[in-house]
Amino acid sequence: ALPWVALAQVQLGVLLVAVAACFPVQIPRTRYFIGVTDVFVFALLALHGAPAAVLAAGAEGLVGAWRSSQRLTSRISTPAAGSLAMAASGQAYGLLQQALVGQGVGSHGAMLAALCTVGLLYFCCNTLPLLAVVAAKNNKPLSLRDWAQSYGWLAAISLASAMLAGLLVMNSRQFGLVVIVVAVAVTAAVVALMTLSLRRHEADRAAQEARLAEAQREAQLNQQRFTAAFTHAAVGMAIVRTDGLTQQVNQALCRLLGQPSAALLQRLFTDVLHPGDAALFRRRVEALAQSPNAAPNAAPPAAPQGPGNAGDALDGNAFSMELRCRDGSGQDLWVALHCSHFIDPADALPGLIYQLHDITSRRLAEDRLHHTAYHDSLTDLANRSCFIERLAVAVDASGTDAEHGFGVLFLDLDRFKIVNDSLGHSAGNQLLREVARRLADSVRPGDLVARLGGDEFAVLAERLDNPGAALALAQRLLLALQQPLLIHGTEVQPGASIGITFSDLGYRTADEILRDADLAMYAAKAGGRSRVALFDHSMHERMAEKLKLEGELRRAIGEGQLSVVYQPLFDLEPYRLSGFEALARWEHPERGPISPTVFIALAEESGHIEALTHWVINQAVGQLVAWRIGHPQLAGGGAAVDMHVNISGRDLANANLVPVVRDVLQQHGLPAQCLTLEITETTLMGKLETALDTLAALRKVGVRFSIDDFGTGYSSLAYLSTLPIDSLKIDRSFVMGMSQAPQNVEIVRAVINLGQSLGKKVIAEGIETLAQLATLKGLGVQVGQGYLLSRPLRPEQVGALLGHKVSEPV
Ligand code: C2E
Ligand code: CA
Ligand code: CA
């Protein structure tokens, strides 16, 4: 019924709505679209009435449904619902406008008011049924509050569209349809711009969201990686709060400490540490917590430390140390612990992360090495290097502080070589171990006992006030050593000579001290067994002198400075030459004659005695054979003259003595019974253990023995009777004593009686006067020797003597 121009406008309007419906603008992050179609729908309503608006609403619904849904029902129901809603709203518009105009409202005002009201109505008709259907589907009551909340903004848009449409229609009535055309163009441009801008905005937002999601994913992965690394790490790990409570532990730590995690969590971490190390560890942790450059979690991933002493610092952010832990069974184990800052992302609290690994076996190996390096394997005492090191520390301390006085005791066992040679090495070792034990038991706590090597021991006694205290300690050690012990069934009485030196002499090196203590020990040894000597400076000179002489003696033996003199021995009843005693002489090119008491002792100490004895035996035997050849009466039957040679204690312990004696006798062709070996009583009694075998072997060869200096050694009579001894030589001191006091004669008588009761021949030496000779003869002495009878003679003097008949001095 409309004129064609209006009809064309309606058709164009519907087309415009359909086209505009193709370009809805989506509200970002919703399923909702807004469009400008409503403006044109409402404009059509105002310009051409409800039917035109219904057509437009239907077209809009159709295009919209076609775009958003595949379902036929939606494609039919949506345009239908739109048309119906507009049909109802259009009717309401017509009625409202007429009513308003009827009330005298101006046509423009009535149109605008009616359009606005219908805009809201249209919104309600469009949304309410839809919501009702959804609510019914979900079996929920229709909530008007929800409706207002979620669709309120659509109502506002509907209202604005209606108003805009009203204004457009008003303007077009005034200025013609051009206004509509311009509005359409402007709207299209706005829609296009809005769509573009929204899309760009949306793209930016999506990119940002993607980045955020990626970062979150990365953080989550990191957390997962950390958890996996923490849980399954081979190194024991713990996360500990600043108050020291353990927050988290991994399996490796539980294994390491042999405890379930429950026993470790929420407990003080220091509880698992060795009490001796816990305090130091706590100090290190506190220092770390207070360190100025403590940057939580910014600590560089410090590599686990290599072998290091407890307390290796890395920097302000972490530290490593080696310390002991207690495992579940109370056993100690060594661990290398690395500690660094840590922030738990879960509660953002600062804490510490500990990494621990077991280094027990390495530490044990190190300890063993250290022990081996500083201990003597036989006795488990400190060894020489350990002693020297400790001594060096003591020297330094005493240099700066007079309170730090110390004494060094140098011990040398008195009879070790004999035990070793006669009873074997295992016996020697047993003796050394026993001595070590006794020394260690007898020193004060804190004193260091060391075995310097062989049978030498040393004691470092620190914090001693004066040398007297060191002397007292030495006496105590001697007492402890004196107790006899049984080795392989033989009773051995250990003894030692002890040299002492004291720090008040102002030493600078450990070597100086040991050298002086050693010198003092030699001085002690020279004084006899089981003695103590305190070092003094004269010892240096004496020692230097002695060393020089020792060297000279060695040369003297090779260079013919030694000679032998022979002192004749006489049978007293009837008086006749019965033998000679060979006495060694040393004519020093510069010093002149040196007493045998000096150089024999020197030879014994320096080990030259063996060569000297062999040389003297060879000389003496050779000499006697030469005399026997020149004077056959010397070899005659029962009146044979024999040769006495002195041997020393060391010779008795020497396995070579027997073959040497046998060879010499054989070589010169002297009957063995013409050789008598003299051994001093003290030597024999001191070396009984080792001497017996040698004596027996020589006895087998046929050699005779005489006990020299008899009466001075307190021999055990029981022993004497069992020994293969032929004669006793009464010591010179008894002979000398006789002329001084009459009671001394009784002593000599007793000694002689003793010898005779044992069935031994009795010899008296040192006879210087006729009175002595007469007394001794009267007492029944068989053989005499002394200056009165003859001085020791050079071989050529003996030759002259042999040509004449000897006569008793009168
Ligand atoms: P001895 O074995 O007791 O030797 C006797 C010493 O007394 C000798 O001293 C001798 O010269 C000395 N003498 C002899 N008659 C008298 C006397 O009437 N009055 C005094 N006052 N002295 C007398 P000598 O030669 O100085 O020897 C000292 C010691 O040296 C010896 O004491 C002996 O133990 C040792 N000795 C000497 N030569 C050797 C040797 O070749 N080997 C060993 N192992 N020791 C030796
Ligand atoms: Ca002698
Ligand atoms: Ca003698």
Side-chain angles (χ1 to χ4, degrees):
L2 290 177
W4 73 269
V5 180
L7 209 57
Q9 283 179 10
V10 170
Q11 286 169 353
L12 207 67
V14 171
L15 189 68
L16 202 63
V17 167
V19 171
C22 293
F23 301 100
V25 179
Q26 190 174 15
I27 298 167
R29 272 160 293 153
T30 64
R31 282 166 47 232
Y32 306 123
F33 291 85
I34 55 166
V36 289
T37 50
D38 284 0
V39 178
F40 300 115
V41 173
F42 288 126
L44 276 175
L45 176 64
L47 282 174
H48 298 292
V54 168
L55 275 177
E60 186 211 2
L62 189 64
V63 171
W66 213 267
R67 289 187 67 244
S68 61
S69 175
Q70 298 276 327
R71 277 184 305 182
L72 193 61
T73 47
S74 312
R75 287 179 174 182
I76 293 170
S77 63
T78 307
S83 300
L84 278 174
M86 185 41 82
S89 307
Q91 283 305 314
Y93 171 75
L95 294 174
L96 199 60
Q97 199 199 20
Q98 274 171 19
L100 286 172
V101 170
Q103 292 291 316
V105 179
S107 71
H108 283 186
M111 179 193 66
L112 210 55
L115 266 182
C116 288
T117 311
V118 164
L120 289 175
L121 185 65
Y122 181 58
F123 156 74
C124 294
C125 297
N126 244 342
T127 53
L128 267 180
L130 193 72
L131 268 182
V133 170
V134 172
K137 251 184 170 175
N138 293 342
N139 219 356
K140 275 188 192 157
L142 179 63
S143 156
L144 288 180
R145 227 174 115 232
D146 283 357
W147 172 64
Q149 263 178 8
S150 38
Y151 295 104
W153 60 275
L154 275 181
I157 284 177
S158 198
L159 186 64
S161 299
M163 262 156 87
L164 204 62
L167 289 174
L168 269 178
V169 170
M170 277 188 325
N171 276 296
S172 68
R173 282 189 185 149
Q174 189 127 19
F175 305 108
L177 283 171
V178 177
V179 171
I180 304 270
V181 174
V182 171
V184 167
V186 169
T187 307
V190 166
V191 166
L193 277 175
M194 226 167 92
T195 307
L196 268 179
S197 134
L198 276 175
R199 277 199 191 144
R200 181 167 319 139
H201 184 78
E202 193 50 20
D204 284 354
R205 208 189 46 78
Q208 198 177 344
E209 263 177 8
R211 279 198 298 276
L212 201 72
E214 179 60 23
Q216 271 171 350
R217 208 176 61 89
E218 188 60 27
Q220 202 175 352
L221 275 179
N222 275 345
Q223 179 68 28
Q224 280 169 356
R225 278 190 212 116
F226 171 77
T227 309
F230 182 86
T231 313
H232 303 295
V235 174
M237 292 210 251
I239 293 170
V240 177
R241 281 198 334 228
T242 37
D243 59 6
L245 286 184
T246 307
Q247 285 290 85
Q248 217 177 323
V249 293
N250 70 351
Q251 298 157 359
L253 187 66
C254 294
R255 273 198 303 277
L256 184 84
L257 297 175
Q259 305 215 45
S261 59
L264 301 169
L265 293 177
Q266 299 308 327
R267 297 257 314 271
L268 282 176
F269 179 79
T270 44
D271 286 355
V272 303
L273 299 183
H274 184 281
D277 292 347
L280 174 67
F281 176 74
R282 239 178 268 130
R283 275 207 298 283
R284 301 292 308 272
V285 168
E286 275 161 24
L288 180 66
Q290 285 159 13
S291 72
N293 51 341
N297 283 17
Q305 284 288 282
N309 296 325
D312 287 337
L314 292 174
D315 51 41
N317 290 321
F319 70 84
S320 283
M321 64 188 292
E322 296 187 354
L323 50 113
R324 286 160 298 171
C325 288
R326 284 264 154 92
D327 72 4
S329 56
Q331 204 87 44
D332 284 351
L333 61 141
W334 274 99
V335 297
L337 185 147
H338 176 82
C339 166
S340 55
H341 287 288
F342 178 77
I343 282 201
D344 192 343
D347 52 10
L349 278 178
L352 296 167
I353 185 161
Y354 301 157
Q355 300 172 46
L356 296 89
H357 58 100
D358 191 349
I359 53 162
T360 309
S361 48
R362 195 203 79 206
R363 284 301 286 235
L364 286 181
E366 276 174 12
D367 286 354
R368 267 198 299 278
L369 275 181
H370 187 268
H371 191 87
T372 318
Y374 282 96
H375 283 79
D376 168 47
S377 58
L378 177 69
T379 60
D380 212 36
L381 291 180
N383 62 10
R384 181 181 270 273
S385 24
C386 179
F387 189 81
I388 300 259
E389 270 184 30
R390 273 277 298 272
L391 188 54
V393 174
V395 173
D396 285 348
S398 72
T400 52
D401 182 0
E403 296 276 283
H404 275 92
F406 64 86
V408 169
L409 282 63
F410 195 111
L411 289 89
D412 186 281
L413 297 193
D414 284 335
R415 255 166 292 220
F416 178 71
K417 197 173 164 5
I418 296 164
V419 172
N420 221 17
D421 289 349
S422 59
L423 300 178
H425 279 290
S426 79
N429 288 348
Q430 198 180 326
L431 177 63
L432 289 173
R433 274 196 294 265
E434 177 61 18
V435 166
R437 195 186 62 74
R438 291 185 190 182
L439 292 179
D441 284 353
S442 310
V443 295
R444 307 167 308 160
D447 289 346
L448 177 68
V449 182
R451 180 175 169 226
L452 301 181
D455 60 346
E456 288 175 353
F457 294 83
V459 177
L460 169 60
E462 288 184 86
R463 288 180 308 284
L464 280 191
D465 296 338
N466 52 57
L471 276 169
L473 174 62
Q475 294 297 352
R476 204 163 71 227
L477 296 184
L478 284 185
L479 214 66
L481 290 185
Q482 263 167 19
Q483 302 302 318
L485 84 150
L486 219 58
I487 299 179
H488 297 351
T490 307
E491 194 177 88
V492 177
Q493 188 185 27
S497 302
I498 305 183
I500 303 173
T501 191
F502 200 75
S503 56
D504 59 353
L505 293 175
Y507 289 109
R508 277 163 319 199
T509 69
D511 283 342
E512 279 177 352
I513 297 171
L514 267 189
R515 182 201 59 202
D516 285 357
D518 193 10
L519 275 183
M521 185 279 290
Y522 269 104
K525 206 153 244 187
R529 283 202 188 113
S530 285
R531 299 219 182 187
V532 177
L534 187 64
F535 176 81
D536 67 76
H537 284 296
S538 68
M539 284 181 186
H540 271 306
E541 289 149 37
R542 272 183 277 149
M543 187 48 69
E545 181 72 2
K546 207 168 108 179
L547 282 178
K548 190 159 169 243
L549 205 62
E550 224 173 77
E552 286 168 349
L553 174 65
R554 194 185 46 221
R555 259 174 287 132
I557 299 174
E559 286 172 8
Q561 288 174 27
L562 293 185
S563 60
V564 183
V565 293
Y566 300 92
Q567 186 173 31
L569 281 82
F570 298 91
D571 276 352
L572 298 185
E573 198 61 63
Y575 194 82
R576 66 164 204 102
L577 180 71
S578 70
F580 297 95
E581 176 174 7
L583 296 163
R585 291 288 176 266
W586 180 13
E587 185 73 23
H588 192 280
E590 289 131 35
R591 301 173 200 237
I594 292 176
S595 161
T597 45
V598 172
F599 73 81
I600 294 298
L602 205 60
E604 281 186 349
E605 272 177 37
S606 60
H608 298 322
I609 191 71
E610 182 180 345
L612 190 140
T613 302
H614 295 175
W615 182 80
V616 174
I617 291 177
N618 192 42
Q619 289 297 112
V621 169
Q623 189 62 68
L624 182 60
V625 170
W627 288 330
R628 278 159 64 111
I629 291 168
H631 308 275
Q633 77 273 13
L634 297 181
V641 165
D642 65 353
M643 180 61 79
H644 290 235
V645 177
N646 298 287
I647 58 170
S648 83
R650 282 188 75 147
D651 292 322
L652 282 178
N654 185 348
N656 267 344
L657 183 67
V658 181
V660 162
V661 169
R662 196 189 310 123
D663 289 354
V664 168
L665 290 172
Q666 223 161 48
Q667 206 182 319
H668 294 286
L670 184 74
Q673 67 271 16
C674 293
L675 178 64
T676 298
L677 296 179
E678 292 190 7
I679 310 148
T680 65
E681 188 181 14
T682 30
T683 305
L684 185 62
M685 291 306 141
K687 310 243 165 179
L688 261 186
E689 307 109 49
T690 44
L692 282 176
D693 286 348
T694 313
L695 287 184
L698 287 172
R699 188 64 173 187
K700 239 183 177 164
V701 174
V703 173
R704 297 191 164 159
F705 293 101
S706 178
I707 294 190
D708 206 351
D709 302 345
F710 185 74
T712 57
Y714 312 104
S715 310
S716 141
L717 288 181
Y719 254 134
L720 266 188
S721 60
T722 61
L723 291 177
I725 304 294
D726 302 279
S727 55
L728 307 171
K729 211 183 219 186
I730 300 171
D731 192 62
R732 210 163 60 222
S733 59
F734 292 107
V735 177
M736 251 152 60
M738 284 193 311
S739 34
Q740 285 153 8
Q743 65 265 35
N744 288 346
V745 178
E746 293 314 307
I747 299 176
V748 176
R749 189 200 305 277
V751 174
I752 292 167
N753 285 344
L754 178 66
Q756 282 165 345
S757 70
L758 289 171
K760 317 287 186 195
K761 189 177 353 175
V762 176
I763 308 174
E765 64 178 350
I767 306 172
E768 293 183 357
T769 64
L770 287 168
Q772 287 168 347
L773 179 64
T775 313
L776 291 166
K777 240 170 110 172
L779 289 172
V781 170
Q782 287 122 308
V783 182
Q785 174 185 7
Y787 291 168
L788 177 74
L789 313 182
S790 169
R791 291 208 164 236
L793 305 171
R794 291 195 302 280
E796 61 273 17
Q797 295 174 308
V798 176
L801 174 99
L802 290 176
H804 304 89
K805 187 173 166 14
V806 295
S807 52
E808 188 174 353
V810 281

